[in-house]
Amino acid sequence: MTRIWTSIGILAVLLGLCICSVRAVDGACARYDAQAAQAEAALSAGDTAGALAACDGLMAEWDRFHGICGIFVTGSRLTPIREELAALRPMIAAGMPESHAGLARLRYRIRCIPEETTPLIWHIL
Amino acid sequence: MTIILIRTLILYALVIFAVRLMGKRQIGELQPSELVVTILISNIATLSLENTDIPLLQGILPVLALVCFEVLSSWASLRFPGFRRLISGSPQVIIRDGVIDQSMLRKLRFSPDDLLAALRTAGVFSVEEVQYAVAETNGNVSVLQKSDASENPPVMVIADGNLREKALHEAGLDRHWAEQMLRKAGLHIGEVFLMTADETRQCNIIRKGGER
């Protein structure tokens, strides 16, 4: 019976971990996306300094964001965000119009991450 | 490199733990579900070892989940005979008194070559020498030769408190006879760990807890 109870215990822990992963990844992505939205809003308002500050904030938050999401999500989903972020700062500083599209792409990539942890039927299939 | 080494160490410990959790059944002959779990575990562990892009947790979680499902399914197989038949199938007699049950062979997709090879492995070179040959759930064929001690091999009629009407019927017995024998022994079905009987109505009863 020890094995049965151990198995039930492990399954309960795994189930808890699954629920935690959904909450943790959703929360981390929502926070990171909100910061990216700030940068987008500042850029749209023509506030380059504000957009750069928001971008620096995103860079500073990267380790924490990556630390949470990296436990549950494959690296191939996270690496493009890092690359996008690194390319974005010089573009904003140079006042390039592509920075708008870059920020939109960054936000899209962030919003796609929870797909890997949220158990919706089309994600499962 | 260091990361791969550490991941290998963790997964090695995990797979050892998984095999220990599955128990000693795993080391001997594999049942169909155990074979599936063993193949899946080795594949999942390899993927997580090779590809550092995959989080370690995505390797650990399915291995643990599979082993837990396997342990729970073994427990359910022990408790519920119907579930056991569904997961592992049931042993089938393929030769009775030197006569091959051809329809059963076709059902099991055994070719005559497979059958003869299995008989030769058991040290029998002629079908006529066989009293009983049974295809076991793990794919082995058990053979009882005609010259062996008993011409009527005993069948298991009660296992862990569950009466097997089909086995009783195969031995030419019925539930009434089994209950009568148990009454003589001062037991009821739920108290019996194992009861075997043969066509000559010889029976052997082992009560739960090990007393004969």
Side-chain angles (χ1 to χ4, degrees):
Chain A
M1 279 315 268
T2 315
R3 282 197 168 92
I4 307 292
W5 288 114
T6 308
S7 300
I8 292 170
I10 290 171
L11 282 177
V13 170
L14 293 182
L15 198 66
L17 202 64
C18 290
I19 295 164
C20 284
S21 78
V22 174
R23 290 175 66 96
V25 171
D26 273 0
C29 288
R31 277 195 302 275
Y32 214 57
D33 187 43
Q35 267 185 291
Q38 276 178 15
E40 202 175 27
L43 197 66
S44 299
D47 178 10
T48 309
L52 282 174
C55 232
D56 288 340
L58 283 169
M59 282 294 229
E61 271 291 299
W62 171 257
D63 277 346
R64 195 172 148 213
F65 173 71
H66 184 259
I68 295 169
C69 293
I71 301 171
F72 307 108
V73 180
T74 45
S76 56
R77 276 186 186 264
L78 297 172
T79 312
I81 294 174
R82 172 77 167 166
E83 288 168 358
E84 201 77 63
L85 207 54
L88 205 57
R89 200 184 189 287
M91 280 203 291
I92 294 173
M96 289 167 74
E98 289 89 345
S99 48
H100 289 278
L103 263 171
R105 228 174 12 246
L106 176 77
R107 290 193 64 197
Y108 173 74
R109 287 190 196 280
I110 295 169
R111 284 198 297 265
C112 281
I113 290 177
E115 282 178 7
E116 209 168 298
T117 51
T118 313
L120 298 175
I121 189 76
W122 49 89
H123 296 161
I124 295 168
L125 296 174
Chain B
M1 287 285 280
T2 322
I3 291 173
I4 292 177
L5 185 70
I6 295 167
R7 284 168 75 106
T8 307
L9 190 69
I10 294 170
L11 281 164
Y12 172 73
L14 177 77
V15 172
I16 296 284
F17 170 75
V19 174
R20 288 283 294 123
L21 188 65
M22 276 200 281
K24 296 211 168 22
R25 270 157 57 88
Q26 189 60 28
I27 298 162
E29 292 294 336
L30 298 176
Q31 290 291 326
S33 64
E34 292 161 349
L35 179 70
V36 169
V37 169
T38 309
I39 292 170
L40 283 176
I41 286 178
S42 62
N43 248 325
I44 293 164
T46 313
L47 274 177
S48 312
L49 282 182
E50 281 176 353
N51 192 351
T52 47
D53 191 45
I54 300 172
L56 192 60
L57 196 63
Q58 286 191 9
I60 293 173
L61 192 139
V63 168
L64 283 177
L66 277 171
V67 171
C68 293
F69 293 148
E70 172 55 27
V71 172
L72 293 178
S73 119
S74 316
W75 173 78
S77 296
L78 208 64
R79 293 275 301 171
F80 310 108
F83 185 77
R84 179 168 53 239
R85 274 195 298 279
L86 184 74
I87 296 290
S88 305
S90 50
Q92 303 289 349
V93 177
I94 49 178
I95 301 177
R96 196 187 296 264
D97 203 14
V99 179
I100 298 173
D101 185 341
Q102 293 185 26
S103 62
M104 186 54 73
L105 274 191
R106 271 195 296 277
K107 199 173 149 191
L108 297 172
R109 279 170 282 131
F110 256 55
S111 71
D113 291 330
D114 295 334
L115 178 65
L116 290 179
L119 292 182
R120 283 195 296 272
T121 308
V124 181
F125 287 82
S126 163
V127 175
E128 285 77 35
E129 293 173 34
V130 179
Q131 180 67 37
Y132 276 102
V134 179
E136 303 291 355
T137 53
N138 58 15
N140 285 346
V141 175
S142 305
V143 181
L144 177 74
Q145 281 181 264
K146 279 184 177 167
S147 53
D148 284 357
S150 169
E151 291 214 340
N152 302 299
V155 292
M156 188 161 55
V157 292
I158 298 178
D160 205 14
N162 291 307
L163 188 77
R164 296 178 165 193
E165 304 257 10
K166 195 179 161 199
L168 269 172
H169 181 71
E170 275 173 8
L173 306 166
D174 56 22
R175 188 188 182 96
H176 177 70
W177 173 84
E179 282 172 349
Q180 206 176 4
M181 298 312 288
L182 290 175
R183 258 199 307 278
K184 271 189 197 168
L187 295 168
H188 60 81
I189 294 171
E191 292 174 317
V192 178
F193 176 70
L194 182 70
M195 178 176 175
T196 56
D198 61 25
E199 287 173 14
T200 62
R201 305 200 160 211
Q202 292 262 337
C203 72
N204 183 23
I205 303 168
I206 300 172
R207 75 152 68 202
K208 283 184 182 172
E211 242 178 86
R212 191 170 286 210

